[in-house]
Amino acid sequence: MKMNDVTKQHRNLIAGEWVESADVNENRNPANTDEIVGLYARASKDDAARAIAAARAAFPAWSKSGPQQRHDLLKKVSDTIAARAEELGELLAREEGKTFAEAKGEVMRASQVFGFFAGETLRQTGDAIDSVRPGVEVMVQREALGVIGLITPWNFPIAIPAWKIAPALAFGNCVVIKPADLTPGCAWALAEIIHEAGAPEGVFNLVMGRGSEIGAEILDSPEVDAVSFTGSVETGRMVAEKCVAQMKKVQLEMGGKNPLVVLDDADLDTAVNCALNGAFFSTGQRCTASSRLIVTAGIHDRFVAALTEKLNSLKVGDPMDGLVHIGPVVDESQLEQNRRYVKIGQEEGATLVCGGEVIEGATPGHFMTPALFTGTTNEMRINREEIFGPVATVIKVADYDEALRLANDTDFGLSAGICTTNLGHAAHFRRNAEAGMVMVNLPTAGVDYHTPFGGRKGSSYGPREQGQYAREFYTTVKTTYIQA
Ligand code: NAD
């Protein structure tokens, strides 16, 4: 099914109106670069300023609209996404490159997120307590923050916008979102759904375009009260600096170099499947990818042999082909980065056991076979820097203590996993892994939508996303003292 009319310009949504642009982005399919997925309007700086002003104007009414209206809007969005899951899954697979099954799963996740936050509008919390001063009562309530700027990456083009937009709207904020320039299609489809579900004018605004222009406009505007960003560490650091300088509330989700520890006593099949899924599915383009496989000596050779055999049997190709396991890399520059790191790994003395080759598909696309390095040390660049592709390394260690030490010896701290049948090691790892999320006998990637998401060190900054914890970022607390 080809869903997009490629002559139609998908416009920005500003103050409840679809606004055309002279600058049009050709969104291309990474599995077939001859194919244009759709034409998307790049907003001007003026467009972004108008979107922010519209959000500001809509805020007083929306923040006082009450939970029922917000619940109904989010519920409708959730239901519509689910009803359109096939079509949106195909759009996602065609613009980002993950397999249709993964893409449809991501679309369903976006629906679940909106469903969860529809419920959160009604599950309000607060305190009514006695003051230490007799006759005085104290109320503690959460209120909306104001205008929230959302800046999102390309690798989860519907789920990440969803898990920022849904809580922002649920708690009574107005939104201006700038999705990644590389994958505007899913964010546009989501904007259409939110608009058609009846979001009042200005409550939700979409401005597509380049980070350096439109993202910068959001960061610099004094009318934006808070910014939630997901993307690379480099951009995130700059976002934080700008926000802090203006005293905007800021939340950052950034990169990872996530360890998966495999101990001698692990169930081999479980460990291999965790590594395969965590490191290579979604073409390794996940912030939670298991890019460092830290394996104890007793199981090392069996683990490497079994994982290599599985990797060699994976089919790389068109994400819409049901037999394909790994879709293309998202674009030429990411492919170049992956190739560069494969070369760096070889130059550093690591052994490339399999993959790492750019291959031709049936159509012109960015296809690369999944690469596994052995004989690596934790000091190598391939173990310190985020590659963000289908590339994983094996670090051989003597025992659990060394494994834990190396797992924590990283600038990142998003997700960390362990495969073991020893309850003591599992429990110790859970308490001592320096990561925001810990997985025991599970892949480092793959999380729930009703639980907090985020990390430590260079991976995250500010309050957690998702689940009930999302309210920490999307609300502000007011304490009222009342003497009757
Ligand atoms: P990126 O930092 O290049 O871009 C992210 C967003 O920031 C995009 O919308 C981009 O246009 C915008 N941007 C770029 N320059 C900007 C500027 N000067 N001002 C304002 N906005 C600007 O990241 P990416 O390549 O899109 O995404 C990949 C990265 O995202 C990886 O590092 C990955 O680990 C990370 N990521 C993290 C999580 C998480 O939750 N921790 C989830 C997904 C992806």
Side-chain angles (χ1 to χ4, degrees):
M1 179 176 66
K2 298 267 183 287
M3 76 287 298
N4 272 348
D5 171 1
V6 290
T7 59
K8 168 187 163 188
Q9 181 183 136
H10 295 78
R11 295 167 291 174
N12 290 297
L13 181 63
I14 300 169
E17 301 286 333
W18 293 106
V19 178
E20 218 165 70
S21 179
D23 186 1
V24 177
N25 177 7
E26 281 184 358
N27 183 4
R28 285 184 184 264
N29 181 346
N32 179 5
T33 52
D34 286 343
E35 183 191 316
I36 296 175
V37 177
L39 302 178
Y40 291 86
R42 283 202 179 99
S44 65
K45 286 190 167 229
D46 279 354
D47 290 336
R50 282 193 297 117
I52 294 165
R56 171 61 56 206
F59 179 66
W62 182 245
S63 59
K64 303 286 182 300
S65 58
Q68 190 67 54
Q69 186 183 353
R70 302 206 286 264
H71 169 274
D72 294 350
L73 175 71
L74 297 189
K75 175 77 170 55
K76 204 162 170 186
V77 172
S78 168
D79 292 346
T80 310
I81 296 171
R84 290 177 55 181
E86 293 279 321
E87 166 220 335
L88 293 173
E90 183 175 346
L91 172 64
L92 202 164
R94 287 170 68 226
E95 77 168 345
E96 197 269 351
K98 64 184 64 164
T99 64
F100 176 66
E102 291 170 328
K104 194 173 161 195
E106 186 185 328
V107 170
M108 286 311 297
R109 173 53 53 97
S111 166
Q112 290 161 336
V113 166
F114 272 93
F116 176 83
F117 284 105
E120 282 295 277
T121 60
L122 303 169
R123 275 189 295 272
Q124 295 180 44
T125 57
D127 292 314
I129 54 175
D130 285 338
S131 163
V132 292
R133 286 168 282 172
V136 175
E137 287 182 325
V138 184
M139 284 176 69
V140 182
Q141 262 178 310
R142 288 187 177 270
E143 292 187 350
L145 276 178
V147 176
I148 317 266
L150 305 178
I151 301 178
T152 56
W154 50 262
N155 66 327
F156 283 95
I158 195 161
I160 292 180
W163 79 51
K164 293 183 191 295
I165 296 166
L169 296 180
F171 296 117
N173 302 287
C174 294
V175 166
V176 177
I177 182 169
K178 192 213 81 64
D181 200 37
L182 208 48
T183 55
C186 287
W188 188 89
L190 190 52
E192 183 188 44
I193 290 170
I194 295 169
H195 181 58
E196 289 181 355
E201 176 186 316
V203 165
F204 173 83
N205 303 271
L206 170 77
V207 280
M208 300 173 284
R210 294 192 183 86
S212 53
E213 290 172 24
I214 304 307
E217 193 67 24
I218 290 173
L219 296 178
D220 292 339
S221 170
E223 293 297 330
V224 172
D225 299 290
V227 173
S228 179
F229 165 89
T230 300
S232 61
V233 176
E234 193 186 1
T235 313
R237 199 180 295 278
M238 181 277 301
V239 169
E241 283 168 8
K242 283 200 170 188
C243 288
V244 169
Q246 299 170 72
M247 299 203 186
K248 284 183 176 43
K249 195 170 182 180
V250 63
Q251 173 183 59
L252 310 175
E253 289 300 342
M254 301 168 287
K257 199 70 196 171
N258 310 289
L260 175 70
V261 169
V262 178
L263 298 185
D264 284 355
D265 59 34
D267 176 76
L268 186 64
D269 281 349
T270 301
V272 169
N273 287 328
C274 286
L276 193 71
N277 176 325
F280 299 103
F281 287 1
S282 296
T283 323
Q285 298 175 150
R286 291 188 287 193
C287 50
T288 47
S290 321
S291 42
R292 293 184 298 143
L293 308 172
I294 302 176
V295 185
T296 49
I299 196 171
H300 175 274
D301 292 356
R302 282 181 293 138
F303 173 80
V304 169
L307 181 57
T308 307
E309 193 184 327
K310 287 235 176 188
L311 286 175
N312 284 330
S313 72
L314 292 185
K315 189 167 175 209
V316 178
D318 181 354
M320 293 307 296
D321 175 345
L323 298 175
V324 160
H325 304 97
I326 296 187
V329 171
V330 73
D331 73 349
E332 182 68 38
S333 84
Q334 184 62 52
L335 187 69
E336 271 313 305
Q337 173 162 315
N338 298 348
R339 292 174 72 173
R340 199 165 60 245
Y341 274 107
V342 168
K343 195 156 170 278
I344 288 169
Q346 289 170 315
E347 285 166 3
E348 286 180 311
T351 305
L352 184 63
V353 182
C354 66
E357 290 153 2
V358 174
I359 54 168
E360 302 239 320
T363 46
H366 311 298
F367 300 107
M368 175 182 170
T369 53
L372 185 68
F373 279 108
T374 56
T376 77
T377 67
N378 202 45
E379 284 68 44
M380 291 178 176
R381 283 183 63 194
I382 51 170
N383 279 324
R384 304 221 69 91
E385 297 167 20
E386 187 182 46
I387 301 173
F388 219 55
V391 183
T393 65
V394 177
I395 306 172
K396 190 175 179 177
V397 291
D399 54 21
Y400 169 73
D401 290 341
E402 187 183 3
L404 176 66
R405 186 172 58 74
L406 296 190
N408 288 336
D409 179 8
T410 169
D411 294 337
F412 298 100
L414 190 55
S415 180
I418 187 166
C419 291
T420 178
T421 52
N422 180 314
L423 188 58
H425 283 147
H428 190 269
F429 188 79
R430 181 171 71 77
R431 296 305 297 263
N432 292 283
E434 294 167 4
M437 296 173 290
V438 175
M439 311 290 179
V440 178
N441 295 319
L442 288 165
T444 57
V447 296
D448 288 356
Y449 61 90
H450 65 310
T451 54
F453 180 94
R456 300 178 182 181
K457 302 197 247 181
S459 290
S460 298
Y461 183 84
R464 289 283 186 270
E465 299 204 81
Q466 301 202 57
Q468 294 192 331
Y469 285 71
R471 66 162 63 100
E472 283 307 317
F473 179 73
Y474 290 100
T475 63
T476 181
V477 170
K478 181 177 278 174
T479 312
T480 310
Y481 295 86
I482 309 150
Q483 180 149 37

